[in-house]
Amino acid sequence: MTTNLQFDQIRLPPECEALRAEVRAFLADEIAAGTFDPHRPGHGDSHNREFSRRVGAKGWIGMTWPKQYGGRERSFLERYVVTEEFRVANAPVRLHFVADRQSGPVLIKYAPEHIKHDILPRICRGELCFVIGMSEPNSGSDLFAAKTKATKVDGGFRINGSKIWTSNAHIADYMLGLFRTSPSTKENRRHGLTQFLVDMKTPGIAVNPIYQMSGQHDFNEVVFDDAFIPDDHVLGEIDGAWKQATSELAYERSGPERFLETFYVMLELIRALGPEPDLRGADGLGRLVAQLHTLRRMSVSVAGMLHAGKEPVVQGSLVKDLGTIWEQKLPNRVRELTAFLSPEIGNRATLEEQIAFATTIAPKLTIQGGTTEILRGIIARGLGLR
Amino acid sequence: MAGASESIVAATAARIFADLADPQTVNRAQDDGWAAGVWTAIEAAGLPLAWVPDELGGSGADIEDGFAVLAAAGGCALAVPLAETLLAGWLLARAGISSPPQAMTVAPARPHDRVTLGADGTLSGRAAGVPFAAATRHIAVLADSDTGPVVALAATTDCRVAPGRNIAGDPSDAVVFDHVKPLHLAPAPAGLNRDALMLMGATVRAVQTAGALEAILAMSVAYANERVAFERPIGKFQAVQQNLARLAGEVAAALAVSGSAADTMAQVDVADDAVFLEAASAKIRCAEAAQDGAAIAHQVFGAIGFTKEHVLHRFTLRMLSWRDDFGNESHWAAELGRRVARGGADAFWTLVASR
């Protein structure tokens, strides 16, 4: 049991601030060129192949990876700066973000050398989009109930079944999929799953769109009908994928994207309140600022602890739990704090558009990447309750 | 900031607190006799004047060490004026005034209270909610004067003290300065104004609160693992686990933000925008954590935690009281909100990212 919830006091080193200036200048140029509009919610969620290539050319995708695979061997804290600046600007990172955050690191750890040399440099150049193939119609939070089967055949495996809620599958080049290679055992129900690298152009893979309540299309169903995956696309241990999952959680769960997804409404709130807010606006804004500052300090701290080689799994889960609930409540808080402002305020139309958009995407924030309930289960385990 | 475990000074403090101010023992005590013993020990260890340099009568520890001591003090719900003496010593030292021995407190302790230095060289004004005033020999005062803020040392007996108690039962007194002649007087250094004092006080209370929350989490988890209901430890119920995970989130937030503010105070002397963001956020967020954290801990303990006999209230009521010292969360939220609004939307992220 540990009730030690230590957050190391990490301050971003000076090289991060030089990088921040460079990132901001790049984003300002992209905005000026009309690549995206920072005031348009949803842009941060969209994809843009040319933009991703330009980001890759700057060396900001896979920037912490070894140079031999196209990376720049820069620090996690530098990656943190790039991630938060892109997110705050609403930049269209969807194409490369999943590969940068989690697929690439999995490949570095578990893929055969020739695959790493083939794929990782292309991720770094912003050419590849990855999709996570974990959830199934009857297996969401309960990951180890996955049924989609990988059957051993000569030279590889045949995949049959389906994955669902697969964001980006319709634009993705590759999937990191979790498939059943053996039944689970009585002693270990997590046994029997294997992680594979799947080329989405493989015959026998069909991608069917699922439209979201926000009007967006990220989700898909991916159906596998005897799709063949060669032996060298197995990642890590056959039947032992569950061992590979846990150490990556802190990476996926503690980043700035876990509290900044609706940040644009906060900026619009500040514009709406103006330089001399009334007491209610000032008090409400001040609390939001304090909460945001706290989340960011926690998140930077986790990045620093990861950088130092620690495994702050519980702290990472705490950041996502607090962060996603905060960003989920933010649109309504802004709605309340602007309720009594003059209908004539200059940014009323933008404000309402942003609140409306953020309200429609808010429900997903505490579901994607580990639900609130799952996170609290992990935290409770860390506390010694389970 | 060094964690409590990394600081030798804090380790010494924790040992003294464990030996002489164990919350269970203190809670069972019939009178305040225990307090004298603790005070003698912490004074011998140089803790109350940790923020005062040797040449001004203190033990000259780092700002970080002092905060680590305060986290440990919060962790045992310490009810002696250690935080107040630390803060008073810090204020006096900033103006080059030596600290006398024995307990001190600081005035004003609320952001809108004001003490002024008259042309005759005496202090006048009223300060409410001054913690432990009646239990101290001296009060460190930040007063306004025609030439800017001044720091003064006043004898408590020269002031009119109307005793009061906060909800935890600790002294929280109204102090009236009616032409009080200060024992020492010096101009405040540049940047040390009422805001700066309140921000330091706010950081002190935030660090104590985080320490108390950490203790409450440990107690609550231990209790949930041992208390059996419906034939299993209540900690096995998901509803209880989810509540304790929420409590852990509040504790984590309080630790992170108070640690960050303490670290900031150790690095800089002038209350600029960054200091304001750090300290005000710490006070706001720790007060919120105290509110939600206290409610969850009491929920876990049920009726036994609501008794005088049980030690939980020593922590929860103290945290809830600390919310009101050196500016409550509403005060700081409005101030912080005004500052951010004045800076405008385009400067906002730059401010957040600067920390």
Side-chain angles (χ1 to χ4, degrees), chain A residues 15-77:
Chain A
E15 63 266 25
C16 284
E17 295 318 307
L19 175 61
R20 188 187 303 281
E22 202 188 330
V23 174
R24 285 184 181 176
F26 169 82
L27 290 170
D29 286 348
E30 291 288 336
I31 292 164
T35 308
F36 66 98
D37 177 352
H39 303 294
R40 301 286 299 188
H43 271 196
D45 244 3
S46 65
H47 66 275
N48 180 326
R49 281 196 184 268
E50 292 70 39
F51 176 76
S52 284
R53 278 170 206 250
R54 290 196 291 274
V55 176
K58 293 296 284 185
W60 295 335
I61 304 174
M63 63 191 284
T64 62
W65 305 349
K67 285 184 178 160
Q68 54 167 325
Y69 304 131
R72 306 291 171 121
E73 297 182 4
R74 299 185 79 162
S75 73
F76 286 111
L77 295 173

Side-chain angles (χ1 to χ4, degrees), chain B residues 175-209:
Chain B
V175 179
V176 175
F177 299 84
D178 183 7
H179 296 283
V180 170
K181 187 154 178 44
L183 305 175
H184 296 279
L185 186 68
L192 181 58
N193 53 21
R194 210 149 21 117
D195 255 359
L197 171 61
M198 291 300 137
L199 289 167
M200 187 65 173
T203 305
V204 163
R205 285 296 188 251
V207 167
Q208 290 174 285
T209 300

Side-chain angles (χ1 to χ4, degrees), chain A residues 268-290:
Chain A
E268 221 51 55
L269 168 68
I270 297 170
R271 290 192 187 97
L273 291 174
E276 288 176 1
D278 63 8
L279 189 56
R280 181 168 180 271
D283 177 27
L285 174 60
R287 284 191 185 248
L288 291 173
V289 173

Side-chain angles (χ1 to χ4, degrees), chain A residues 174-378:
Chain A
Y174 289 94
M175 169 188 281
L176 290 195
L178 200 61
F179 303 119
R180 185 154 293 288
T181 37
S182 303
S184 60
T185 60
K186 247 203 182 108
E187 301 74 42
N188 184 2
R189 69 181 292 269
R190 300 185 292 180
H191 173 86
L193 292 168
T194 304
Q195 200 168 23
F196 289 86
L197 172 67
V198 181
D199 185 339
M200 291 297 284
K201 288 184 288 291
T202 305
I205 297 180
V207 178
N208 305 318
I210 301 172
Y211 297 95
Q212 287 129 264
M213 60 182 267
S214 58
Q216 296 166 294
H217 170 214
D218 306 327
F219 277 175
N220 300 276
E221 178 196 39
V222 180
V223 180
F224 300 87
D225 181 10
D226 243 12
F228 177 77
I229 303 181
D231 278 329
D232 64 359
H233 282 45
V234 171
L235 302 175
E237 194 183 324
I238 301 244
D239 291 341
W242 58 276
K243 291 181 205 158
Q244 294 161 214
T246 46
S247 67
E248 282 148 35
L249 293 179
Y251 290 90
E252 193 192 336
R253 291 182 170 163
S254 61
E257 70 275 16
R258 296 308 186 191
F259 54 92
L260 291 175
E261 191 146 345
T262 56
F263 179 71
Y264 45 85
V265 288
M266 187 150 175
L267 288 181
E268 221 51 55
L269 168 68
I270 297 170
R271 290 192 187 97
L273 291 174
E276 288 176 1
D278 63 8
L279 189 56
R280 181 168 180 271
D283 177 27
L285 174 60
R287 284 191 185 248
L288 291 173
V289 173
Q291 291 156 356
L292 173 65
H293 165 71
T294 303
L295 287 166
R296 184 172 175 282
R297 293 297 301 138
M298 296 173 83
S299 172
V300 168
S301 177
V302 174
M305 288 190 275
L306 288 169
H307 179 60
K310 302 182 183 178
E311 286 197 2
V313 174
V314 172
Q315 285 96 328
S317 297
L318 286 164
V319 171
K320 184 173 186 291
D321 184 17
L322 292 174
T324 53
I325 286 176
W326 184 82
E327 63 181 2
Q328 184 174 66
K329 283 184 174 166
L330 182 61
N332 188 51
R333 195 68 199 113
V334 170
R335 180 177 157 271
E336 289 172 343
L337 291 173
T338 54
F340 296 120
L341 298 184
S342 157
E344 309 300 324
I345 53 169
N347 65 337
R348 175 65 74 184
T350 313
L351 177 71
E352 287 182 358
E353 186 190 354
Q354 297 200 352
I355 290 174
F357 181 78
T359 302
T360 61
I361 64 123
K364 76 168 180 175
L365 300 172
T366 51
I367 299 168
Q368 62 188 6
T371 66
T372 304
E373 291 79 0
I374 291 290
L375 295 172
R376 290 183 181 169
I378 292 168

